[in-house]
Amino acid sequence: MTRTWTDRKALFLFAALASMGLAGCATNKEKLLTHGDATMLDIWERETGGSRNGGQAARQLLDARQTLRRPLTNADVQAAPTENAAYTRTAQNEIYRQFHRLPNPDLVMYVFPHLAGTDPVPVPGYSTVFPLYQRVQYAMPGERVEGY
């Protein structure tokens, strides 16, 4: 039986994958992942500013934090009480709710006269009222500004 070109191609592809897989297993762990005499504790303390050789790393961390800090401007100091007042509990906030109830309209349903029960008993027509939503929903502070 003669082999076709596609059979040779599949055989070549299989041989290439097998040789790459075997070559990956031929490396040595010590050669691939070299390490010195430092323990994990030594590395941790050096990188996080611990007691051993960590003075420079701790100083760099402190310098980076200092650059992120900024002094408060006079406008920030003036605006802080008014911004915080909305979240502070006072007697007025307790009277005027921060989380207002959202409207839940009532639906009126008319039930036509009908017969009910195992022994058909006539029931006269009547109207009933039920809320549109099952649960009470609340708005976030400042979400709704119109009156209720």
Side-chain angles (χ1 to χ4, degrees):
M1 177 172 172
T2 61
R3 293 190 182 251
T4 61
W5 181 78
T6 56
D7 289 340
R8 290 182 190 155
K9 185 177 177 183
L11 184 62
F12 175 73
L13 183 63
F14 176 73
L17 287 174
S19 64
M20 284 192 309
L22 290 175
C25 296
T27 59
N28 186 0
K29 179 183 83 89
E30 295 298 325
K31 188 176 181 182
L32 186 63
L33 300 170
T34 59
H35 63 295
D37 295 332
T39 63
M40 285 302 294
L41 181 61
D42 295 334
I43 295 170
W44 172 263
E45 288 179 348
R46 183 179 68 230
E47 295 299 323
T48 59
S51 60
R52 294 188 221 161
N53 301 329
Q56 184 179 4
R59 185 71 209 163
Q60 288 175 349
L61 180 62
L62 184 62
D63 291 341
R65 287 181 179 163
Q66 286 297 106
T67 58
L68 293 175
R69 291 188 180 130
R70 63 176 176 81
L72 289 176
T73 62
N74 194 20
D76 293 335
V77 173
Q78 297 292 332
T82 57
E83 289 178 6
N84 294 338
Y87 300 103
T88 304
R89 292 180 68 170
T90 61
Q92 183 178 5
N93 285 351
E94 294 299 318
I95 294 170
Y96 302 111
R97 296 170 299 176
Q98 291 185 6
F99 299 95
H100 293 283
R101 283 181 146 184
L102 292 174
N104 189 4
D106 288 333
L107 298 178
V108 179
M109 184 179 78
Y110 178 73
V111 179
F112 289 98
H114 60 282
L115 299 174
T118 54
D119 294 332
V121 177
V123 178
Y126 61 95
S127 295
T128 183
V129 177
F130 58 93
L132 179 64
Y133 302 112
Q134 181 180 358
R135 295 185 179 154
V136 175
Q137 301 292 326
Y138 293 92
M140 295 296 290
E143 187 175 358
R144 291 189 47 128
V145 293
E146 64 267 9
Y148 291 97

